[in-house]
């Protein structure tokens, strides 16, 4: 039978929009299905996406070669995407890691090795120099810094998705602003139900992030853990901007995992205010139902986690004292392999791309490219770490 599209991509987030853009240069007959961001988060009862924000750290400094490679490939395309779309989203302000010198953690050692492999320029800053170079950061005297000046900083995820979508549409992709609720392999093609309508395609890529297991999008759920995370925002005034205005993106590895923290530089948000955003590595909730995930997205996050983040923030950045603090929810989607999934399901016509492991925003353009290659060619090669990205499915 004739199908409506050759390929359908489900999920209009960072990976899905990127996949649509890349696939538009490989084939015709493509549709990208996904709703737009809700105007009122707290009254919305549909699906959500975690890119509804203004800033995500981007860097190549990573203790894992695959993740570092994904980030480097994506970073090398940022300026081209900006130029072609006319939408700016990348601020190359650098990224600073700070860690206890006594630790010289395995992560740092591996990240330095990966950086040399990728040709990244990472400067090691001795403890005595760290406080002088970055006076906004009150770390202990035994902390060493690792500063990646180029190919690092932060991106605006909302703007990046807009840029990817604009270029995908310019490449001939049909944008369907609806929520997909069902994907079914009929034996000759795939049938997708979205917004009360049915669409058919030869192949489908499900790139719905933490919502990939919700509704009936996959023949069998992937093995992922969808968890709640909280981020805190410090509202900055003129005084604080003189202190923090020129800071790079910053990641501080504490003595305990729960004390790890990431810090975004001051960013102006749609409400006209400038915020310094920070988050950590802890989560208290996991979701298996779409209703529970939706309720979390409508909340302001976890108050106890906000208070913990505030305590750590004021230890590291005492000049934030007195600033108004708010919080917001986020969702992280973890896989047991530690890698994203990019592969076919039990159906040779339905593929899945998900599992950001809380570090995928910076790499989303490359992960989207891998999803596009998967649909167009049917497989990924080892140069793209295809074996490591094989999906793991939940037990029946």
């Amino acid at each position: 039978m004739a199908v409506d599209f050759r390929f359908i991509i489900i999920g209009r987030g960072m990976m899905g929009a990127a996949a649509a853009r890349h696939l538009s240069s490989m084939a015709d007959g493509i549709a990208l299905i996904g709703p737009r961001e809700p105007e009122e988060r707290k009254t919305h009862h549909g699906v959500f996406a975690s890119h509804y924000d203004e800033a995500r750290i981007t860097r190549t400094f990573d203790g894992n070669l695959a993740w570092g490679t994904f980030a480097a490939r994506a970073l090398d395309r940022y300026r081209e995407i900006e130029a072609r779309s006319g939408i700016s989203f990348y601020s190359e302000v650098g990224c600073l890691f700070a860690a206890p010198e006594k630790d010289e953690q395995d992560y740092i050692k591996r990240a330095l090795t990966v950086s040399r492999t990728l040709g990244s320029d990472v400067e090691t800053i001795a403890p005595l120099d760290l406080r002088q170079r970055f006076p906004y950061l009150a770390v202990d005297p035994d902390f060493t810094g690792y500063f990646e000046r180029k190919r690092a900083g932060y991106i605006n995820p909302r703007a990046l998705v807009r840029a990817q979508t604009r270029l995908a549409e310019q490449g001939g992709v049909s944008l369907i602003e609806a929520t997909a609720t069902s994907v079914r392999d009929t034996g000759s093609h795939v049938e997708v139900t979205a917004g009360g309508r049915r669409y058919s395609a030869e192949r489908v890529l499900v790139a719905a992030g933490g919502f990939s297991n919700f509704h009936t999008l996959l023949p069998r759920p992937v093995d992922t853990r969808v968890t709640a995370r909280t981020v805190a925002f410090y509202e900055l005034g003129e005084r604080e901007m003189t202190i923090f205005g020129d800071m790079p993106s910053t990641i501080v590895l504490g003595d305990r995992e729960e004390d790890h923290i990431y810090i975004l530089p001051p960013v102006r948000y749609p409400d006209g205010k400038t915020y310094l955003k920070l988050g950590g590595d802890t989560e208290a909730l996991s979701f298996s139902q779409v209703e529970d995930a939706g309720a979390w997205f409508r909340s302001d996050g976890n108050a106890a986690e906000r208070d913990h983040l505030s305590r750590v923030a004021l230890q590291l950045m005492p000049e934030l004292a007195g600033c108004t603090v708010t919080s917001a929810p986020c969702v992280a989607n973890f896989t047991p392999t530690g890698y994203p999934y990019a592969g076919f399901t039990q159906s040779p016509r339905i593929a899945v791309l998900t599992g950001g492991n809380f570090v995928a925003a910076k790499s989303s353009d490359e992960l989207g490219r891998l999803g596009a290659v998967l649909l167009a060619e049917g497989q990924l090669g080892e140069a793209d770490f295809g074996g490591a990205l094989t999906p793991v499915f939940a037990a029946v």
Side-chain angles (χ1 to χ4, degrees), residues 21-22 58-61 67-84 89-90 92 115 117-121 148-153 155 160 164 361-367 369:
R21 178 181 79 82
H22 282 283
T58 190
R59 55 186 167 84
T60 71
F61 193 70
W67 279 112
T69 300
F70 299 151
R73 290 176 179 176
L75 275 153
D76 287 343
R77 290 192 288 264
Y78 284 175
R79 294 304 187 199
E80 177 192 356
I81 297 170
E82 287 184 321
R84 289 180 54 211
F89 59 83
Y90 175 39
E92 192 177 37
S115 294
T117 301
L118 298 176
S120 300
D121 183 12
E148 186 174 16
R149 185 183 303 275
K150 299 293 184 181
R151 289 204 303 186
I155 53 174
L160 175 53
Q164 300 280 31
K362 63 185 180 297
S363 306
S364 59
D365 183 67
E366 174 61 11
L367 297 178
R369 186 190 71 84

Side-chain angles (χ1 to χ4, degrees), residues 72-147:
R73 290 176 179 176
L75 275 153
D76 287 343
R77 290 192 288 264
Y78 284 175
R79 294 304 187 199
E80 177 192 356
I81 297 170
E82 287 184 321
R84 289 180 54 211
S85 67
I87 298 174
S88 297
F89 59 83
Y90 175 39
S91 297
E92 192 177 37
V93 299
C95 183
L96 172 69
F97 269 73
E101 184 181 34
K102 68 179 188 316
D103 206 0
E104 269 297 320
Q105 302 186 20
D106 283 346
Y107 182 90
I108 295 294
K109 292 179 181 178
R110 286 184 276 111
L112 290 170
T113 299
V114 169
S115 294
R116 288 190 289 270
T117 301
L118 298 176
S120 300
D121 183 12
V122 177
E123 177 188 6
T124 300
I125 303 171
L128 290 176
D129 298 327
L130 186 59
R131 292 285 293 271
Q132 286 187 322
R133 290 275 301 276
F134 302 96
Y136 68 90
L137 194 62
V139 293
D140 291 341
D142 68 334
F143 271 59
T144 299
Y146 306 89
F147 185 45

Side-chain angles (χ1 to χ4, degrees), residues 210-211 213-215 226 286-297:
F211 287 80
N213 277 346
F214 301 147
H215 299 302
V226 180
S286 295
F287 306 117
S288 59
Q289 301 292 328
V290 65
E291 294 82 9
D292 295 334
W296 173 254
F297 270 109

Side-chain angles (χ1 to χ4, degrees), residues 10 179-184 190-194 199 215-218:
I10 295 173
T179 298
T181 54
S182 173
V183 177
R184 186 173 68 91
V190 183
E191 188 175 88
V192 176
T193 302
Y199 305 91
H215 299 302
T216 313
L217 303 182
L218 298 171

